[in-house]
C-alpha cells in the first residue's frame, strides 16, 4: 500500500521560507516521478514542481527561481524548498507520486499540508 505523508506547512510572512517534506512508503521515489501540486481556495489544483527518476526537474513559471524540489533516496523523501514566498503561494500543497507498473501508471496523493503566506 502506497502512503505519502507531507509535513512542513505553516504560516509564514511574505518573503520568508518554508520546506515541505513528503515521506513515502510502498513506493520508491528514486524509481518513479514525484511532484508537488497546490490548490488555492476556489481554484483548480496546479503543478508546482516535479522530479523525475534521473533527477531532472521542472517547475511552474510562477515559482521558477524561488522553489526547489529535491529527493533524498536514502530517506525515500521528496522536499520542496520554498523561498521568497508571496501571498499568492497560499494554498494546500499536495505530494504526488506516479507509480509505473506493467499495467500502467497509478497516481498517489498525500493528504495535503496548508501553507499560508501573510503580508
Amino acid at each position: 500500500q502506497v502512503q505519502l505523508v507531507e509535513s512542513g506547512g505553516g504560516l509564514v510572512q511574505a518573503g520568508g521560507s518554508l520546506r515541505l517534506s513528503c515521506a513515502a512508503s510502498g513506493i520508491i521515489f528514486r524509481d518513479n516521478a514525484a511532484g508537488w501540486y497546490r490548490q488555492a481556495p476556489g481554484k483548480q489544483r496546479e503543478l508546482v514542481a516535479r522530479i523525475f527518476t534521473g533527477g531532472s526537474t521542472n517547475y511552474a513559471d510562477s515559482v521558477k527561481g524561488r522553489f526547489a524540489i529535491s529527493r533524498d533516496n536514502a530517506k525515500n523523501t521528496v522536499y520542496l524548498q520554498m523561498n521568497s514566498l508571496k501571498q499568492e503561494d497560499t494554498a494546500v500543497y499536495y505530494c504526488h507520486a506516479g507509480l509505473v507498473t506493467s499495467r500502467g501508471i497509478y497516481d498517489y496523493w498525500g493528504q495535503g499540508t496548508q501553507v499560508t503566506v501573510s503580508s
Side-chain angles (χ1 to χ4, degrees):
Q1 184 179 0
V2 176
Q3 282 193 315
L4 305 177
V5 180
E6 299 116 332
S7 61
L11 175 64
V12 64
Q13 283 191 322
S17 299
L18 282 175
R19 188 176 82 154
L20 306 183
S21 301
C22 176
S25 59
I27 186 171
I28 299 175
F29 275 141
R30 181 190 64 228
D31 298 333
N32 298 277
W36 290 93
Y37 289 70
R38 68 186 180 187
Q39 188 166 19
K43 295 187 177 181
Q44 288 190 330
R45 191 172 296 190
E46 63 176 2
L47 172 69
V48 176
R50 282 184 297 191
I51 184 165
F52 299 94
T53 54
S56 61
T57 59
N58 64 12
Y59 297 90
D61 287 343
S62 59
V63 306
K64 281 181 182 176
R66 300 188 298 121
F67 290 12
I69 189 171
S70 61
R71 183 179 65 214
D72 185 329
N73 294 333
K75 295 182 179 179
N76 203 28
T77 298
V78 170
Y79 302 96
L80 184 69
Q81 178 66 45
M82 305 185 293
N83 300 324
S84 301
L85 282 160
K86 304 176 182 180
Q87 282 188 276
E88 51 262 44
D89 295 318
T90 295
V92 178
Y93 284 70
Y94 296 91
C95 179
H96 169 267
L99 177 62
V100 179
T101 75
S102 60
R103 290 175 290 180
I105 299 175
Y106 294 86
D107 293 312
Y108 294 94
W109 296 91
Q111 80 283 0
T113 185
Q114 176 71 45
V115 171
T116 303
V117 184
S118 64
S119 59

